[in-house]
């Protein structure tokens, strides 16, 4: 029952131990036996209570987090790009480490990772299986503007990314690399209702704004692939917000942290 509902399972176990203790103290048949037997049975119940509390209820499962940034120009150095990301000179590397330093596996890791600067690309730099990423609103791919004639690619978003990892094994870590960049907010022209929505190709930057349920806007910057360096610049990550949940020792646990990346 504990893997299905931790609280319900714990209540059932403790209730069973309380009833067992009452049985040891009040059972008429036991009262006729030597009192040493009764004391031994009470000791067994107390031992199980302590062992269950220490070994299951009170097991600590901390999720350690660390972040680092660097300005290495992978194009100039010809070094392999982290996570096989197609690198740009405007990108700053932001590495996030989600560490399981315990003797237990962490399963069903679901995180929302949101740096204070837009994320242009995200990937795993480690080797864990079944790891996937999706930006908060699920936008991807490209859009087509009528009078440009070629698709505009997604430059970056500040909406944050949902990270799924099936399992972080004991004494292992989920290693995430993000390419971050800074983009100014664009203000494209809006046409009259009923007419095609067009943007002059020379403007080159399209900013889609989506509002979440709490009223916080999320920006998605689109543009022509060749203009990426024209509208973006180096970013400086000063904090990363990480929220979400994971399962450890048959119990769902939560994380809600903000960390400052080291340089």
């Amino acid at each position: 029952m504990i893997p299905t509902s931790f609280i319900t399972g714990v209540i059932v176990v403790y209730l069973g131990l309380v009833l067992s203790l009452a049985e040891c103290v009040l059972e008429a048949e036991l009262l006729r036996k030597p009192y040493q037997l009764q004391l031994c049975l009470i000791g067994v119940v107390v031992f199980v209570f302590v062992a269950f509390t220490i070994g299951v209820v009170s097991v600590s499962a901390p999720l350690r987090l660390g972040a680092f940034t660097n300005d290495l120009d992978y194009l100039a150095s010809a070094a392999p790009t982290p996570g096989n990301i197609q690198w740009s000179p405007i990108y700053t590397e932001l590495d996030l480490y989600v560490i399981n330093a315990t003797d237990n596996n962490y399963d069903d890791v679901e995180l929302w990772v949101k740096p204070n600067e837009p994320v242009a690309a995200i990937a795993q730099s480690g080797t864990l299986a079944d790891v996937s990423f999706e930006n908060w609103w699920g936008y991807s791919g490209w859009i087509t503007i009528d009078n440009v004639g070629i698709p505009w690619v997604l430059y970056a978003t500040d909406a944050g990314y949902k990270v799924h990892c099936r399992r972080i094994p004991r004494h292992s870590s989920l290693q995430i690399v993000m390419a971050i960049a800074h983009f100014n907010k664009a203000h494209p022209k809006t046409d009259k209702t009923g007419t095609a929505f067009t943007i002059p190709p020379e403007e080159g930057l399209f900013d889609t704004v989506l509002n979440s349920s709490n009223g916080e806007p999320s920006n998605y910057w689109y543009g022509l692939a060749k203009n990426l360096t024209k509208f973006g610049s180096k970013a400086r990550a000063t904090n990363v917000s990480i929220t979400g949940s994971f399962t450890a020792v048959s119990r769902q646990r939560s994380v809600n942290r903000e960390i400052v990346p080291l340089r």
Side-chain angles (χ1 to χ4, degrees):
M1 186 180 292
I2 287 179
T4 304
S5 175
F6 182 82
I7 295 177
T8 303
V10 168
I11 291 174
V12 169
V13 171
Y14 279 145
L15 182 60
L17 290 172
V18 169
L19 292 175
S20 298
L21 183 61
E23 185 77 8
C24 293
V25 174
L26 302 175
E27 173 59 42
E29 190 64 29
L30 282 176
L31 293 176
R32 299 189 190 99
K33 304 289 185 181
Y35 73 91
Q36 290 89 349
L37 176 60
Q38 191 177 27
L39 290 177
C40 287
L41 293 175
I42 292 173
V44 169
V45 174
V46 172
F47 173 80
V48 173
F49 176 88
V50 174
F52 179 74
T53 301
I54 295 176
V56 177
V57 178
S58 301
V59 173
S60 177
L63 195 66
R64 297 183 180 178
L65 302 168
F68 307 86
T69 64
N70 75 70
D71 293 325
L72 180 62
D73 188 347
Y74 288 98
L75 299 180
S77 66
T81 59
N84 293 319
I85 292 175
Q86 186 173 350
W87 212 256
S88 168
I90 68 170
Y91 291 164
T92 298
E93 181 181 348
L94 173 59
D95 296 293
L96 175 65
Y97 294 86
V98 183
I99 303 168
N100 171 12
T102 72
D103 293 326
N104 303 295
N105 295 326
Y106 289 0
D107 295 320
D108 299 323
V109 181
E110 304 285 348
L111 302 175
W112 179 30
V113 177
K114 190 176 186 298
N116 67 301
E117 291 282 8
V119 177
I122 185 170
Q124 181 190 190
S125 55
T127 58
L128 295 185
D130 196 5
V131 176
S132 60
F133 307 93
E134 183 183 27
N135 64 68
W136 185 249
W137 292 93
Y139 269 33
S140 61
W142 47 268
I143 58 176
T144 300
I145 307 300
D146 286 352
N147 66 329
V148 175
I150 58 176
W152 287 22
V153 299
L154 176 64
Y155 281 167
T157 177
D158 60 7
Y161 271 81
K162 292 178 283 189
V163 180
H164 165 79
C165 177
R166 182 180 60 84
R167 168 172 290 181
I168 303 178
R170 60 179 187 161
H171 302 292
S172 300
S173 64
L174 169 62
Q175 302 171 29
I176 300 170
V177 59
M178 289 170 277
I180 60 173
H182 182 79
F183 292 87
N184 295 322
K185 287 183 170 56
H187 301 286
K189 297 176 181 178
T190 55
D191 295 332
K192 295 180 180 180
T193 303
T195 61
F197 182 75
T198 59
I199 299 177
E202 64 271 11
E203 291 193 4
L205 184 65
F206 177 70
D207 180 12
T208 300
V209 182
L210 299 177
N211 290 304
S212 62
S213 58
N214 62 6
E216 183 179 353
S218 299
N219 295 276
Y220 286 77
W221 288 273
Y222 283 88
L224 303 179
K226 65 180 181 179
N227 288 340
L228 174 62
T229 57
K230 178 180 178 181
F231 295 104
S233 59
K234 284 283 188 180
R236 293 291 178 265
T238 57
N239 71 78
V240 183
S241 171
I242 302 104
T243 59
S245 64
F246 62 100
T247 300
V249 197
S250 302
R251 178 180 178 183
Q252 188 177 70
R253 302 164 190 266
S254 61
V255 57
N256 187 353
R257 295 265 307 278
E258 280 199 4
I259 59 175
V260 177
L262 301 178
R263 294 194 50 141

